[in-house]
Amino acid sequence: IADSLNLTAQSFIPGIFEKKRSAARSAALKEAKNNFLKAGLVFGAVMSTLVGMMPLLCKFFTADVSVLAEVFSAVPTMVLIFIVHGVICAAEGVLLGQKDLGFLGKAYASYFFAVPYFMLRVKKAALSGAANVGLKSVWKVFMLYQFFRASLWTIRLSQLQRRSENALVVEDSEQ
């Protein structure tokens, strides 16, 4: 659902970003970014509410008590994952719309190694018989990945906004 925010931002942001640097352009980028992030929060709230209702629906798919217990234990983590998912999609779309491909490429290259590293640590712990390692542990790693991406994307957007505004100040002082 929230992926549509990413695609929409990729469609609208370039039209603003490619204009000549000006105070109006900077203000428009800031407003668009804020609007997309607000929409991401709304999408996240809706999705997390739907995920929170999973325990009500599970009984229609299985009567196995152990399966239900695993699903119920993962729901709080899944709710947290989906709360930030909308912001992640919106922010990533705005970054792509501003053609910040070098940053995104480096970030995803590091995730390519980091996420499997931590997932394999969970697997190793589970195979060694560690207590309290299960499905919920895997989702916790993914939750941390989501929180990290949400934080990094929003920090990067703030950094790009400051750069845009500072460039205007420098250009104005040179004239």
Side-chain angles (χ1 to χ4, degrees), residues 113-134 137-138 141:
F113 295 101
V115 174
Y117 171 78
F118 289 110
M119 290 289 190
L120 289 171
R121 287 184 56 134
V122 170
K123 178 181 177 182
K124 184 178 179 181
L127 291 175
S128 70
N132 298 326
V133 175
S137 302
V138 172
V141 170

Side-chain angles (χ1 to χ4, degrees), residues 62-132:
T62 185
D64 187 328
V65 178
S66 64
V67 170
L68 290 171
E70 280 292 322
V71 171
F72 290 178
S73 74
V75 167
T77 306
M78 296 294 291
V79 166
L80 292 173
I81 288 169
F82 278 96
I83 282 175
V84 297
H85 184 66
V87 170
I88 291 167
C89 289
E92 184 175 280
V94 173
L95 289 169
L96 286 166
Q98 293 185 40
K99 297 180 177 58
D100 199 12
L101 305 178
F103 171 77
L104 288 168
K106 290 172 190 163
Y108 277 114
S110 65
Y111 299 153
F112 179 79
F113 295 101
V115 174
Y117 171 78
F118 289 110
M119 290 289 190
L120 289 171
R121 287 184 56 134
V122 170
K123 178 181 177 182
K124 184 178 179 181
L127 291 175
S128 70
N132 298 326

Side-chain angles (χ1 to χ4, degrees), residues 22-44:
S22 67
R25 173 189 176 257
S26 184
L29 279 171
K30 185 175 187 174
E31 182 180 4
K33 172 195 76 170
N34 289 338
N35 287 338
F36 275 108
L37 292 177
K38 287 177 201 172
L41 289 171
V42 171
F43 274 61

